[in-house]
Amino acid sequence: MRSITLSAFLATTIMTVPAQAQVPEEVESCRLAGLVALKERSPAIKDLTFDIDGLAISKANTKVEDTPVKMVIMGDAYLQRENTDKPNRFVCLIGEKGKVLLTFFTEQ
């Protein structure tokens, strides 16, 4: 009888807890590669964060010339500088084996 009660409790708990979407590890790869590239151009940039809830993450099966593109990630990014934190749009292309091919940022 006790195992039935415990099973019922667990089933109810699992059903009522909202499932959290898994963020692919490629998102963190894009963030780190983007931060390195941005710091090379502007050392005043301290950190880079993505609006995780607003990301568009799309699997792809295409090429840029001969380079395979496996994922495209787009969304809002925030560049933390010493005094300002402006929203930017970004695009990140991921190739084979999760390699970051391109990060592109633009102010809105």
Side-chain angles (χ1 to χ4, degrees):
M1 181 76 168
R2 186 164 203 234
S3 65
I4 295 173
T5 306
L6 181 58
S7 296
F9 171 76
L10 290 175
T12 305
T13 303
I14 291 169
M15 286 184 213
T16 59
V17 175
Q20 299 226 346
Q22 292 287 340
V23 177
E25 63 187 46
E26 291 88 351
V27 171
E28 181 63 7
S29 296
C30 283
R31 190 189 73 76
L32 293 173
L35 182 58
V36 167
L38 290 166
K39 279 187 168 193
E40 286 178 4
R41 295 178 132 195
S42 179
I45 294 174
K46 302 295 181 197
D47 198 10
L48 171 65
T49 57
F50 292 158
D51 176 5
I52 299 297
D53 294 331
L55 290 182
I57 303 171
S58 302
K59 290 189 178 187
N61 188 16
T62 190
K63 291 183 178 184
V64 175
E65 293 192 6
D66 293 334
T67 305
V69 177
K70 298 298 181 185
M71 184 178 287
V72 178
I73 303 170
M74 299 179 289
D76 289 330
Y78 295 89
L79 310 178
Q80 183 182 15
R81 295 179 175 96
E82 289 176 8
N83 296 325
T84 61
D85 189 15
K86 296 179 181 180
N88 289 254
R89 296 289 293 163
F90 80 94
V91 174
C92 181
L93 301 180
I94 303 290
E96 294 179 319
K97 299 180 183 175
K99 181 180 176 186
V100 176
L101 304 173
L102 169 83
T103 56
F104 181 81
F105 297 87
T106 183
E107 287 188 26
Q108 293 185 5

